[in-house]
Amino acid sequence: MAEKKKLLIYAHYYIPDTASTGQILRELAEGMLDKFDITVICVVPSYLGTIDDKYKTRKYYKEEINGVKVLRIRVPEFSKVSKPSRIKNILGYFFGAMASTFKVGKQDYVFSISQPPVLGGLIGVWGKWVKNAKYIYSIQDFNPEQTMAVGYSKNQIILKAMMWFDKFSCRRSDLVITVGRDLVETMEKRFYFKKVPKTALINNWIDEKEIYPLPQDDNKVLSFRKYYGLDHKFVIMYSGNIGLYYDLENIIKVIEKFRGTKTSDGRDVVFTFVGAGTVLDKLVLYVKDHHMDNVVFIPYQDKEYLNYSLNAGDVHWCVNAKGIKGVSCPSKYYGLAAAGKPVMGVLEEGSEVQWLIEQSGNGLCCEPGDYVGIEKMIDWFIKNAGTEKLTAMGLKGRAYLEKNLTQEVSIQKYADEIMKL
């Protein structure tokens, strides 16, 4: 039997961290172990900013997780609301990953993702050069386009430098993989449709065997609802990163209009936010200042509880801020579809997930920034609470996912594309 080719993956975060990219890379790595000998370079568990004492004594930590070799880098702790501390943390990963590359031996392929922005691509270029390997650059989010879309930075010198470096990473890659049709278009536009680096589209996924529809009277779903005060209520849920790219600061103002609202069967309507992120404190403060008793905040759920958490929602948000089309693709959608839940999309026309919702028929969508449209959409779901119409809408998403978007299908596409290089 021929020896497996060696594949090095640079992952800012990896399990047990809860970052969505870390979860995807874990499943990708474990799913390709039959074809490659895989090593992951990542940070010590620190997605929420703090680091366990057991990861504070050495610079590097070697582990093996489910057959994947993992080399962890110690980085500084940080606060998600402090730019300087976040930058220090990210640079700790960047330079640590560069140094770690010398510790992992010969590699045939190097794989990196677009996190952290721009630097993720440059780490891959570095790995290609040091290891004389084929380089696969997986773009989950385009930057600086994402930075520009939400106004995170308006410094033109910085933005132009970011664009130059990320295009450099694309050019030096042997393959760029994006996660949406609209992201493929962005790639082509970056290079003015001339000499576009080799690009493939592979959708993200959720493990549909771990996330699946459960009846509302499932004991663990009921237990989750009761624990967070959601029993006998109509739950409109946002689950995921409560960060900069979702316009949640304005959506919370629309939610305020539904204080005291009940469904036709007499249930209180409650909006839940499950997760953490840079915008969470602003939302908590707004809810407190405006005495909104129709909002519940729930911390991140460990993967073992995610299925019960997602099934506790009657309807789920899937949102992006205006300008994110072609720049980022909310991978949270796959979990919502897997759980068989109807989706309330605030997504630009022609974006990947808007297209998927339309194709599958498992939700309604309106444009980001259309707050009247968002209000009408919420109202429609409340009026149809408890009906077969909502149940059927959710299950259409599950059926479409099983046919077109399974974990196995996407991972096989990754393996096929890499082995063709």
Side-chain angles (χ1 to χ4, degrees):
M1 185 176 175
E3 188 179 348
K4 292 178 187 175
K5 292 286 184 80
K6 295 183 183 294
L7 170 64
L8 172 63
I9 297 176
Y10 293 104
H12 189 184
Y13 296 110
Y14 197 68
I15 59 164
D17 274 327
T18 54
S20 59
T21 51
Q23 297 294 331
I24 286 169
L25 288 176
R26 174 257 180 111
E27 288 160 4
L28 178 63
E30 293 178 8
M32 296 196 300
L33 277 172
D34 60 328
K35 299 173 181 70
F36 303 104
D37 179 352
I38 298 176
T39 300
V40 172
I41 291 177
C42 60
V43 298
V44 297
S46 54
Y47 181 58
L48 298 179
T50 57
I51 295 172
D52 193 279
D53 286 343
K54 71 177 182 178
Y55 288 111
K56 290 181 177 179
T57 58
R58 302 199 308 272
K59 193 169 183 179
Y60 301 104
Y61 296 83
K62 286 187 177 181
E63 301 174 359
E64 185 167 311
I65 303 175
N66 299 331
V68 177
K69 293 188 279 290
V70 179
L71 178 59
R72 296 193 184 275
I73 308 154
R74 192 181 79 211
V75 289
E77 292 186 321
F78 69 98
S79 164
K80 289 208 171 199
V81 296
S82 167
K83 268 191 190 180
S85 75
R86 293 189 79 184
I87 290 169
K88 187 177 178 183
N89 175 272
I90 288 168
L91 290 177
Y93 165 64
F94 179 70
F95 291 112
M98 290 179 72
S100 300
T101 304
F102 293 103
K103 296 178 174 292
V104 295
K106 178 186 179 296
Q107 300 292 326
D108 300 291
Y109 305 99
V110 169
F111 182 104
S112 75
I113 64 168
S114 53
Q115 290 293 334
V118 181
L119 298 180
L122 292 175
I123 292 170
V125 176
W126 168 259
K128 174 179 180 169
W129 178 67
V130 171
K131 298 300 179 187
N132 191 27
K134 298 286 186 182
Y135 171 38
I136 303 95
Y137 185 19
S138 172
I139 296 184
Q140 298 282 328
D141 312 289
F142 275 102
N143 272 293
E145 291 93 336
Q146 185 170 241
T147 305
M148 294 159 64
V150 298
Y152 192 66
S153 173
K154 294 183 172 63
N155 187 312
Q156 289 303 308
I157 294 173
I158 291 174
L159 294 173
K160 285 178 180 178
M162 288 174 70
M163 180 64 82
W164 189 92
F165 279 115
D166 208 54
K167 287 174 73 172
F168 171 81
S169 298
C170 292
R171 288 193 186 100
R172 292 294 178 272
S173 71
D174 295 280
L175 174 67
V176 175
I177 296 175
T178 69
V179 293
R181 292 159 184 79
D182 49 336
L183 275 76
V184 173
E185 291 172 12
T186 299
M187 185 70 178
E188 293 169 343
K189 288 174 186 174
R190 266 190 169 191
F191 292 91
Y192 308 102
F193 301 92
K194 296 174 183 176
K195 296 183 179 178
V196 181
K198 183 180 179 184
T199 307
L201 162 63
I202 304 177
N203 287 99
N204 281 341
W205 63 86
I206 194 82
D207 186 343
E208 72 282 357
K209 298 180 185 69
E210 290 186 359
I211 306 298
Y212 49 86
L214 289 170
Q216 285 299 294
D217 61 356
D218 177 89
N219 284 337
K220 289 189 176 178
V221 174
L222 289 175
S223 176
F224 180 91
R225 280 176 158 257
K226 187 171 184 179
Y227 186 82
Y228 290 107
L230 307 177
D231 45 345
H232 309 301
K233 294 180 180 176
F234 184 70
V235 179
I236 299 176
M237 181 177 284
Y238 176 93
S239 179
N241 179 32
I242 303 174
L244 293 169
Y245 308 119
Y246 311 107
D247 196 31
L248 297 175
E249 307 97 308
N250 288 309
I251 289 175
I252 198 76
K253 296 173 185 175
V254 180
I255 289 171
E256 186 179 1
K257 297 180 180 182
F258 290 89
R259 281 187 299 186
T261 303
K262 291 182 180 290
T263 61
S264 56
D265 56 9
R267 287 180 289 166
D268 290 328
V269 176
V270 63
F271 297 82
T272 66
F273 291 85
V274 184
T278 52
V279 177
L280 176 60
D281 289 345
K282 288 183 183 177
L283 299 189
V284 170
L285 187 61
Y286 188 92
V287 166
K288 183 180 178 182
D289 287 348
H290 292 254
H291 309 290
M292 293 168 62
D293 56 3
N294 62 334
V295 176
V296 175
F297 295 101
I298 298 173
Y300 262 117
Q301 298 301 298
D302 290 339
K303 197 171 182 184
E304 61 188 294
Y305 302 116
L306 183 59
N307 197 32
Y308 312 119
S309 169
L310 292 178
N311 273 279
D314 294 288
V315 180
H316 280 264
W317 293 98
C318 188
V319 305
N320 260 347
K322 199 164 189 66
I324 296 296
K325 175 190 171 184
V327 173
S328 180
C329 181
S331 57
K332 65 171 65 68
Y333 169 73
Y334 303 100
L336 312 184
K341 293 298 177 179
V343 177
M344 190 156 52
V346 184
L347 304 159
E348 289 171 273
E349 181 77 27
S351 59
E352 179 69 15
V353 172
Q354 186 274 337
W355 186 88
L356 290 172
I357 291 170
E358 189 175 87
Q359 286 293 303
S360 62
N362 82 309
L364 301 178
C365 289
C366 69
E367 288 283 323
D370 178 9
Y371 303 115
V372 173
I374 293 171
E375 186 177 343
K376 288 179 179 177
M377 191 163 57
I378 294 171
D379 190 59
W380 185 90
F381 278 103
I382 292 171
K383 285 178 178 174
N384 287 277
T387 65
E388 282 299 315
K389 189 182 289 187
L390 281 200
T391 303
M393 182 181 274
L395 293 177
K396 283 178 183 177
R398 175 73 191 192
Y400 187 89
L401 179 139
E402 287 179 349
K403 187 176 180 182
N404 303 286
L405 300 169
T406 64
Q407 178 179 342
E408 185 179 349
V409 165
S410 289
I411 291 175
Q412 186 60 50
K413 286 179 180 177
Y414 270 95
D416 291 344
E417 290 290 349
I418 292 170
M419 289 192 293
K420 279 192 281 185
L421 296 176

